[in-house]
């Protein structure tokens, strides 16, 4: 975890009321002087409150006041410094998005706006991601495009740098408003149902016989009570339908608006003009259909809204882990300040039980820190001087001080939140297919409803007008494009959040879907399967020489050397509590070994060439050396006064859980291969110990990508797991690239999934989560398609000729209302999912 704060470090400015944010891409900003020129020009621009330059991503992040300036003017300022401004990326929170089938409509409206490069709407988080050219359009135009779709755009945020979503307060406010609309519909529905079905109240039926003036007056009163339900409780349906009509499209609002309007219009005619019916006894209104359907559908929207609020629980949990205050040393005194006021270089004091406020490096003291919110690993990590600590993690036992290195939105936690939210807003391939199908769904249903009306009116039994109206209204109401629209994004949102809880950062829906299809996992050796640093594995002594004595002799000489293998021996000696001796006449013999004098004896440590040069007989030591070498270790002979005294061996050992993780990958039905530049004998020794199926050894860095492509050419769906710069091309070439989180930034940037913990069990967990998520997606899609495939024929009256069954519009409304809520609730079941195989 030493690199976790650097690994996810990018500027993350805060937002204030009345201030909006924009991100400008400046492709020709290559050096610090270019950034300084742009920053200087922006400082002199009225309305700009803050600007930050990110040379690595070639972006300029600007906070500005729309009342004083505009995004176009700011882009012009950057151009005036002589640099080229590319596309600008924004995230627009969208309120009033209570119809998942409206997603494509909003996307189309945004994409139709001049200068917009791309637009994507996430119906779960109610956010529109927009990329546009500021020279051709501006924020006001984008907001107008959203408004034209019947929704409202909130304060914009930089899509790549600020994890904006619909605030919980806004979602709660929408939920409360929908519930008030439901209660109005429910209250009015009670007298409508009671008086529309006389058998429920026999005494009323006697007082108001059919076709009597009293009954007509009662129906007129019920109609007046129904009107507020239609106009207020059902207002969002008519607004949404009108906006769709203006764009020559249709959505769920269109279906509901047409259905309840048809029922209401029929009821008005039946009440006011009963004589136009062939038999006035048949002129009965459908006030109950209008109010009950609206009430039920609005209740479904409210429940769906509530359930969608739970899908991003993982993000809210991460956000809630951010500290509010920090204790820093200022002018020699410890003071508590808001965490926003901590600056880089501050010395921060952490006491037992404190939440670490920002990222930094320990300068004094030691403790154990609970990093489970970052890594998913429950065991506290020991921290001492020089170790990195991560903001949001919790100090357990000791006290320490650290120097702040990343503050505010630059911290690891803030960047993890950003990465996860961007992934949750992405679309998987299966979702794009569903979006395409959904765009044809509503027009198809409208055509079917009209055909059903005509068929029942022409060929149905009497009263034909009643039957045909019921079938028309029921068919419109029962169809639910929202269930289709929500089936995939809700599951992806929860699945990606579940990954974050387990220390796995999934960058996109594509990666999550592809991970389910993997057939082969290719592992880099050094730092991925192994620990990435040499360690002492064997110390073997001969005759009268004592093992501990030999180790002290070797470590004493190696302490004079700078060789990595020697450093491993010195570290192992220190861990065993053995003190070093005093050496003299130290000599490093290139390609052979080292020698020196200790306590009057000449000590030599090296290979066979050194021993032969000094005429030292090896005897049986050669057999032992060969056995150690066959195990992938690097053995060295030890000689004392020209006598062979023993051997010492060093190797890059496999991680404690690598073999168990590879076994778990086999249990998932996956083939595991190792790709390494190391020699074949060492690679095969590691493969035997770890349980790997195939070894691809002695591969040059530039050849790794080619070897991955060779596997793909054989029909394998390949995941590459690595941690080094030389793994980046292979990570990018693979179907899925998984970067070990303790590795380099280059590898992480080239990957699709980042494993924060650095354990191969993260690969197992990532695949487990992918399979569970895609299984949940399929359940939702089967449910949504199955509901419509079964419900629409029932609503059209297909069962009536055989069983005399005709669905009531009220039942259709109830089914439609709860179908979307069911899909979202099923997606939320993923929050309870626990990967079966968790790393220890």
């Amino acid at each position: 975890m030493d690199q976790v704060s650097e690994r996810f470090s990018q500027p993350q400015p805060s937002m204030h009321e009345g201030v909006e944010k924009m991100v400008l891409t400046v492709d020709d900003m290559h050096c610090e002087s270019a950034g300084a020129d742009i920053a200087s020009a922006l400082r002199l621009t009225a309305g700009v409150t803050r600007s930050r330059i990110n040379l690595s991503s070639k972006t300029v992040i600007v906070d500005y006041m729309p009342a004083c300036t505009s995004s176009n003017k700011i882009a012009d300022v950057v151009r005036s410094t002589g640099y080229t401004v590319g596309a600008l990326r924004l995230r627009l929170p969208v309120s009033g998005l209570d119809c998942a089938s409206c997603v494509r409509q909003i996307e189309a409206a945004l994409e139709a706006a001049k200068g917009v490069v791309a637009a994507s709407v996430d119906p779960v988080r109610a956010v529109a991601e927009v990329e546009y050219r500021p020279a051709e359009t501006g924020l006001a135009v984008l907001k107008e495009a959203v408004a034209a779709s019947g929704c409202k755009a909130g304060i914009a945020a930089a899509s790549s740098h600020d994890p904006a979503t619909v605030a919980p307060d806004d979602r709660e406010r929408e939920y409360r408003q929908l519930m008030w609309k439901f209660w109005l519909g429910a209250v009015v529905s009670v007298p409508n149902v009671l008086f529309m079905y006389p058998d429920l109240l026999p005494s009323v039926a006697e007082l108001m016989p059919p076709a009597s003036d009293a009954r007509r007056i009662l129906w007129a009163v019920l109609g007046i009570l129904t009107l507020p339900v239609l106009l207020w409780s059902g207002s969002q349906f008519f607004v949404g339908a009108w906006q769709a009509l203006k764009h020559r499209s249709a959505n769920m609002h269109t279906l509901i608006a047409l259905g309840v309007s048809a029922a209401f219009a029929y009821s008005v005619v039946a009440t006011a003009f009963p004589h136009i019916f062939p038999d006035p006894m048949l002129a009965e209104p459908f006030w109950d259909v209008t109010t009950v359907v609206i009430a039920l559908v609005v209740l479904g929207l409210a429940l769906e809204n509530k359930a969608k609020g739970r899908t991003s629980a993982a993000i809210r949990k991460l956000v809630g882990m951010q500290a509010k205050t920090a204790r820093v040393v200022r002018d020699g005194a410890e003071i508590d300040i808001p965490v926003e006021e901590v600056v880089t270089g501050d010395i921060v004091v952490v006491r037992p039980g404190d939440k670490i406020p920002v990222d930094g490096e320990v300068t004094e003291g030691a403790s154990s820190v609970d990093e489970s919110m970052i890594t998913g690993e429950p065991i506290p990590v020991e921290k001492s001087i020089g170790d990195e600590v991560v903001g949001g993690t919790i100090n357990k036992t000791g006290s320490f001080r650290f120097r702040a290195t990343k503050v505010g939105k630059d911290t690891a936690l803030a960047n993890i939140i950003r990465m996860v939210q961007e992934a949750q807003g992405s679309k998987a391939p299966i979702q794009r297919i569903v979006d395409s199908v959904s765009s044809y769904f509503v027009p198809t249903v409208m055509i079917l409803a009209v055909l059903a009306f005509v068929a029942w009116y022409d060929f149905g039994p009497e009263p034909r007008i009643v039957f045909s109206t019921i079938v028309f209204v029921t068919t419109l109401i029962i169809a639910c494009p929202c269930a289709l629209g929500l089936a995939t994004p809700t599951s992806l949102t929860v699945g990606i959040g579940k990954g974050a809880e387990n220390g796995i950062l999934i960058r996109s829906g594509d990666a999550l879907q592809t991970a389910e299809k993997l057939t082969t996992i290719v592992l880099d050796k050094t730092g991925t399967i192994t620990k990435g640093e040499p360690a002492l594995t064997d110390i073997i002594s001969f005759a009268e020489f004592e093992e501990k004595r030999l180790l002290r002799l070797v470590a004493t000489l190696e302490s004079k050397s700078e060789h990595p293998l020697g450093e491993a021996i010195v570290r192992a000696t220190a861990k065993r509590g053995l003190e070093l001796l005093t050496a003299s006449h130290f000599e490093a013999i290139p390609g052979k070994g080292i020698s020196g004098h200790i306590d009057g004896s000449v000590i030599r440590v090296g290979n066979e060439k050194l021993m032969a040069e000094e005429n030292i007989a090896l005897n049986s030591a050669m057999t032992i050396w060969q056995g150690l070498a066959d195990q992938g270790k690097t053995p060295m002979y030890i000689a004392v006064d020209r006598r062979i005294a023993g051997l010492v061996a060093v190797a890059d050992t496999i991680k404690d859980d690598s073999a168990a993780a590879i076994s778990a990958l086999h249990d998932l039905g996956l083939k595991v291969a190792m790709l390494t530049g190391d020699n074949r004998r060492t690679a095969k020794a590691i493969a035997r110990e770890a349980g790997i199926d195939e070894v691809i050894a002695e591969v040059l860095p530039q050849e790794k990508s080619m070897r991955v492509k060779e596997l793909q050419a054989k029909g394998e769906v390949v995941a590459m797991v690595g941690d080094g710069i030389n793994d980046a091309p292979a990570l990018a070439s693979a179907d899925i690239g998984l970067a070990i989180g303790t590795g380099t930034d280059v590898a992480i940037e080239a990957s699709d999934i980042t494993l924060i913990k650095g354990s191969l069990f993260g690969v197992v967990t990532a695949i487990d989560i992918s399979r569970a998520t895609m299984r949940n997606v399929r359940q939702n899609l089967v449910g949504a398609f199955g509901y419509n495939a079964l419900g629409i024929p029932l609503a059209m009256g297909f069962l009536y000729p055989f069983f005399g069954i005709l669905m009531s519009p009220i039942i259709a409304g109830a089914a439609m209302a709860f179908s979307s809520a069911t899909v979202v609730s099923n997606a939320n079941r993923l929050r309870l999912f626990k990967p079966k195989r968790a790393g220890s």
Side-chain angles (χ1 to χ4, degrees):
M1 286 303 297
D2 290 352
Q3 299 176 32
V4 75
S5 60
E6 297 179 8
R7 186 179 322 137
F8 303 105
S9 61
Q10 286 190 19
Q12 295 271 346
S14 58
M15 290 294 289
H16 304 284
E17 190 173 354
V19 176
E20 295 192 354
K21 191 191 313 286
M22 65 185 291
V23 176
L24 286 170
T25 301
V26 185
D27 292 330
D28 49 359
M29 183 174 63
H30 300 298
C31 61
E32 298 231 359
S33 62
D37 291 344
I38 294 171
S40 177
L42 289 172
R43 269 197 300 273
L44 300 176
T45 304
V48 173
T49 60
R50 189 165 61 151
S51 66
R52 279 83 59 217
I53 307 297
N54 188 334
L55 286 174
S56 62
S57 61
K58 295 184 181 180
T59 55
V60 180
I61 307 103
V62 185
D63 292 353
Y64 70 100
M65 294 182 290
C68 304
T69 188
S70 68
S71 59
N72 288 343
K73 290 180 182 177
I74 294 171
D76 289 339
V77 169
V78 176
R79 288 192 193 94
S80 70
T81 62
Y83 297 96
T84 304
V85 175
L88 184 151
R89 299 185 299 277
L90 286 179
R91 176 180 291 131
L92 287 170
V94 179
S95 59
L97 182 59
D98 52 10
C99 168
S101 61
C102 304
V103 167
R104 187 60 206 139
Q105 183 179 318
I106 298 174
E107 289 175 345
L110 285 168
E111 288 169 352
K114 184 180 179 181
V116 172
V117 177
S120 177
V121 176
D122 179 0
V124 180
R125 294 185 298 129
V127 170
E129 303 266 1
V130 188
E131 186 175 356
Y132 68 99
R133 291 183 291 271
E136 301 176 35
T137 190
L139 181 59
V141 175
L142 301 180
K143 288 186 173 182
E144 286 175 9
V146 174
S149 302
C151 296
K152 181 180 179 183
I155 295 178
S159 70
S160 296
H161 297 273
D162 191 10
T165 56
V166 174
D169 288 346
D170 293 340
R171 198 178 287 279
E172 183 63 27
R173 186 161 48 250
E174 286 185 29
Y175 172 74
R176 285 199 302 269
Q177 185 179 46
L178 287 170
M179 287 306 297
W180 277 115
K181 289 183 175 183
F182 160 71
W183 284 116
L184 174 63
V187 168
V188 175
S189 293
V190 172
N192 272 345
V193 171
L194 289 176
F195 291 115
M196 294 309 300
Y197 297 94
D199 292 341
L200 297 175
L201 297 172
S203 56
V204 173
E206 293 176 5
L207 293 174
M208 301 178 181
S212 66
D213 291 339
R215 176 164 289 199
R216 299 292 171 189
I217 293 171
L218 174 61
W219 284 348
V221 172
L222 293 177
I224 294 170
L225 291 176
T226 299
L227 192 60
V229 176
L230 184 74
L231 298 180
W232 186 64
S233 295
S235 58
Q236 65 272 0
F237 305 128
F238 295 100
V239 171
W242 173 245
Q243 298 296 345
L245 181 62
K246 287 197 297 184
H247 288 85
R248 294 187 295 277
S249 63
N251 54 31
M252 180 269 280
H253 290 152
T254 308
L255 298 179
I256 300 301
L258 279 175
V260 297
S261 296
F264 186 83
Y266 180 93
S267 302
V268 169
V269 172
T271 302
F273 310 104
H275 56 276
I276 69 173
F277 286 81
D279 183 354
M281 294 283 290
L282 300 176
E284 295 192 1
F286 291 139
W287 304 126
D288 56 320
V289 171
T290 304
T291 56
V292 173
V293 166
I294 288 177
L296 289 173
V297 175
V298 168
L299 176 62
L301 290 176
L303 296 177
E304 177 188 318
N305 185 287
K306 197 78 167 177
K308 283 196 292 187
R310 291 196 295 268
T311 58
S312 295
I315 290 296
R316 288 199 300 277
K317 186 186 296 184
L318 288 173
V319 171
M321 297 220 175
Q322 294 173 315
K324 301 295 187 292
T325 62
R327 171 163 288 200
V328 300
V329 178
R330 297 271 174 91
D331 299 323
E334 295 181 10
I335 59 171
D336 290 325
I337 61 173
V339 72
E340 293 82 8
E341 295 179 14
V342 178
V343 296
T344 303
D346 268 343
I347 298 299
V348 183
V349 181
V350 181
R351 295 164 295 187
D354 281 356
K355 187 176 290 185
I356 296 172
V358 295
D359 298 356
E361 181 180 320
V362 178
T363 58
E364 181 182 333
S367 182
S368 60
V369 176
D370 179 1
E371 295 184 338
S372 59
M373 47 76 67
I374 292 285
T375 66
E377 176 59 59
I379 301 173
V381 179
E382 296 299 323
K383 300 289 182 180
S384 57
I385 294 173
D387 288 340
E388 295 283 339
V389 291
V390 182
T393 55
I394 300 172
N395 183 36
K396 301 298 286 184
T397 53
S399 298
F400 62 91
R401 296 186 177 195
F402 71 92
R403 180 181 294 105
T405 57
K406 303 290 180 184
V407 300
K409 300 296 183 180
D410 292 347
T411 62
L413 180 58
N415 281 279
I416 287 171
I417 293 169
R418 172 186 58 81
M419 287 177 67
V420 173
Q421 286 203 314
E422 287 182 357
Q424 289 180 333
S426 66
K427 293 188 177 184
I430 192 172
Q431 184 178 343
R432 299 188 192 106
I433 295 171
V434 173
D435 286 348
S436 177
V437 171
S438 297
S439 65
Y440 296 100
F441 180 83
V442 173
T444 301
V445 170
M446 293 172 66
I447 292 170
L448 290 175
V450 171
L451 291 176
F453 178 89
V454 172
W456 276 87
Y457 190 79
D458 288 343
F459 308 109
E462 293 293 347
R464 287 181 295 171
I465 185 63
V466 175
F467 278 118
S468 56
T469 301
I470 289 174
V471 167
F472 177 75
V473 171
T474 306
T475 302
L476 289 174
I477 289 172
I478 198 168
C480 185
C482 272
L484 290 174
L486 289 170
T488 302
T490 48
S491 297
L492 291 182
T493 296
V494 180
I496 290 168
K498 179 58 66 173
E501 289 178 7
N502 287 274
I504 297 159
L505 301 184
I506 302 167
R507 289 179 178 267
S508 67
D510 279 39
L512 190 67
Q513 181 172 341
T514 305
E516 180 204 27
K517 304 172 184 175
L518 294 172
T519 60
T520 298
I521 309 294
V522 178
L523 306 175
D524 173 51
K525 180 179 77 71
T526 306
T528 302
I529 300 172
T530 66
K531 294 176 181 177
E533 61 179 24
L536 176 69
T537 58
D538 300 89
I539 175 76
I540 300 168
S541 61
F542 299 148
E544 75 276 11
F545 298 102
E546 185 186 7
E547 187 178 292
K548 288 183 179 179
R549 171 71 177 172
L550 275 183
L551 185 56
R552 292 177 71 193
L553 292 173
V554 175
T556 299
L557 281 187
E558 293 288 5
S559 67
K560 305 291 184 181
S561 168
E562 295 181 353
H563 198 283
L565 300 183
E567 292 174 1
I569 294 172
V570 174
R571 285 197 303 271
T573 305
K575 282 184 179 179
R576 299 185 187 193
L578 302 176
E579 294 183 3
L580 299 182
L581 304 170
T582 302
S584 61
H585 301 91
F586 173 81
E587 182 184 3
I589 307 165
K592 297 175 184 177
I594 56 176
S595 69
H597 292 199
I598 301 175
D599 293 342
S601 297
V602 179
I603 313 299
R604 294 179 176 86
V605 182
N607 57 22
E608 189 175 349
K609 291 180 182 179
L610 179 61
M611 298 299 116
E613 191 175 272
E614 298 297 330
N615 295 317
I616 299 170
L618 297 177
N619 301 323
S620 61
M622 291 183 67
T623 304
I624 298 173
W625 187 97
Q626 187 64 47
L628 293 171
D630 288 342
Q631 296 174 37
K633 301 173 181 177
T634 303
M636 293 168 275
Y637 295 109
I638 308 167
V640 178
D641 293 332
R642 295 183 183 279
R643 289 177 59 203
I644 190 71
L647 294 95
V648 65
V650 175
D652 180 10
T653 57
I654 72 169
K655 295 176 182 177
D656 296 337
D657 58 1
S658 287
I662 290 168
S663 175
L665 289 171
H666 286 144
D667 291 343
L668 290 173
L670 298 167
K671 177 183 174 183
V672 182
M674 181 170 68
L675 186 62
T676 178
D678 211 339
N679 67 75
R680 190 169 302 278
R681 182 171 61 183
T682 300
K684 285 189 173 181
I686 293 293
R688 280 195 303 271
E689 188 177 356
I692 289 170
D693 304 311
E694 181 180 352
V695 176
I696 308 171
E698 299 174 1
V699 180
L700 296 175
Q702 60 269 29
E703 295 175 346
K704 287 188 173 183
S705 175
M706 183 179 67
R707 294 304 181 93
V708 168
K709 290 177 181 176
E710 287 174 359
L711 289 170
Q712 290 171 320
K714 295 177 183 177
E716 302 287 346
V717 182
V718 180
M720 174 69 195
V721 186
D723 73 329
I725 291 175
N726 62 350
D727 296 322
L731 288 168
S733 298
D735 296 282
I736 290 288
L738 295 101
I740 296 293
T742 50
T744 64
D745 289 344
V746 175
I748 290 166
E749 286 302 314
S751 68
D752 302 290
I753 299 174
T754 299
L755 313 175
I756 297 177
K757 286 191 286 187
S759 165
L760 282 180
F761 262 108
V763 181
V764 182
T765 304
I767 295 170
D768 231 2
I769 289 173
S770 169
R771 292 183 176 183
T773 302
M774 296 313 299
R775 186 164 56 245
N776 192 271
V777 166
R778 284 190 290 271
Q779 290 169 355
N780 281 347
L781 289 175
V782 168
F785 278 110
Y787 160 82
N788 285 293
L790 179 65
I792 292 175
L794 286 176
M796 293 174 69
F798 275 35
L799 292 183
Y800 188 85
F802 308 103
F803 305 104
I805 297 174
L806 190 63
M807 182 179 288
S808 163
I810 293 176
I811 295 175
M816 185 273 174
F818 290 103
S819 60
S820 296
T822 302
V823 164
V824 179
S825 299
N826 184 56
N828 272 304
R829 287 194 310 108
L830 274 175
R831 294 172 56 203
L832 306 175
F833 172 76
K834 295 185 187 298
K836 301 184 188 71
R837 307 161 182 89
S840 57

